[in-house]
Amino acid sequence: MDDRSRVGVRRTYERIGDHFSKTREFAWPEVESFVDDADGAGTALDVGCGNGRHAELLADVADRALGLDASRTLLCEAQDRIGPRVSLLQGDATRLPLRADSVDLAVYVATLHHLPTAADRRASLDELARVLRPDGRALVSAWSTAHDRFDAPADAETGFDTTVDWTLPGGETVPRFYHIYAPAEFERDVAASGLTRRSMELSSGNCYAVVEPERKVPY
């Protein structure tokens, strides 16, 4: 059953999480490069941490690393992988359970595109802006129409919603919701949020943006 809601997305990953985790062993090179460029951090956050493969990188450069995911199954996989090096939280990307201005470094990769509405996606970007310190920065990614599996024009202004099946051992398929971003749409969503884009690139069919919180002008 295709349940296009945040609850539905969480249920999907509770169902497939064990098998999904086994296929997500290595960190993405784009995330490795972003973290390698960091000069260290007090608190680092991985939003949508899955099995902890990127939170593990953050733990190498931060005094305190946090991993957040909606799926308890994936958090259990992360616990098995990285143990006490990272504090794990079950939560919603649209309502981060953290204080404002509390995070120095963050990664938010391969998660934004699973939020089912434009309002959800915008809320999650605003939440990321809220928790970042004024001098903090983050890497945000989403699957893009630039990927060669999608028949979409390169200059599309908007993306589209779709499902991509996950095949479990035994052959059962489970649909996973995605919003496939057009690069121009991704850029607009970041610009419309409380984040400021420092750089953007297309890599391996994904949009990537390095962002920082929008500068607040004092009254």
Side-chain angles (χ1 to χ4, degrees):
M1 179 177 174
D2 177 13
D3 181 356
R4 297 192 178 193
S5 67
R6 294 204 307 276
V7 171
V9 170
R10 178 177 60 77
R11 287 174 178 162
T12 294
Y13 280 90
E14 300 292 20
R15 189 174 179 188
I16 71 172
D18 290 344
H19 184 238
F20 178 82
S21 177
K22 291 179 175 62
T23 69
R24 297 299 188 270
E25 178 64 23
F26 301 108
W28 286 0
E30 295 86 357
V31 180
E32 290 178 321
S33 179
F34 172 75
V35 174
D36 285 346
D37 286 343
D39 295 326
T43 298
L45 171 67
D46 183 356
V47 181
C49 67
N51 69 357
R53 58 181 170 154
H54 295 136
E56 196 169 30
L57 297 178
L58 294 175
D60 291 336
V61 299
D63 297 332
R64 181 186 184 213
L66 308 172
L68 178 138
D69 205 280
S71 166
R72 184 171 295 277
T73 299
L74 285 174
L75 289 172
C76 288
E77 294 289 324
Q79 182 67 49
D80 289 343
R81 176 177 179 135
I82 53 184
R85 297 185 65 213
V86 177
S87 298
L88 298 172
L89 307 169
Q90 185 174 21
D92 188 328
T94 68
R95 292 174 298 195
L96 295 175
L98 299 170
R99 297 191 315 274
D101 303 332
S102 61
V103 173
D104 301 288
L105 187 70
V107 293
Y108 181 23
V109 300
T111 298
L112 176 67
H113 51 219
H114 288 308
L115 296 177
T117 70
D120 290 335
R121 295 188 290 274
R122 167 67 184 276
S124 75
L125 294 172
D126 284 337
E127 275 290 274
L128 181 60
R130 181 184 66 81
V131 302
L132 281 172
R133 295 190 194 277
D135 60 349
R137 63 182 183 133
L139 178 68
V140 181
S141 85
W143 214 359
S144 162
T145 55
H147 197 287
D148 57 13
R149 76 175 290 159
F150 302 118
D151 183 18
D155 58 351
E157 285 297 313
T158 59
F160 57 91
D161 293 344
T162 190
T163 57
V164 177
D165 283 345
W166 185 265
T167 303
L168 291 168
E172 179 188 2
T173 58
V174 180
R176 297 179 295 155
F177 172 83
Y178 282 85
H179 177 75
I180 307 302
Y181 265 99
E185 176 192 22
F186 179 77
E187 189 171 356
R188 287 196 307 271
D189 274 11
V190 171
S193 74
L195 297 166
T196 298
R197 175 173 54 86
R198 295 179 59 179
S199 64
M200 179 176 162
E201 68 171 332
L202 294 174
S203 179
S204 304
N206 291 276
C207 295
Y208 288 91
V210 175
V211 298
E212 60 189 14
E214 193 174 62
R215 301 301 181 194
K216 301 298 190 294
V217 178
Y219 290 98

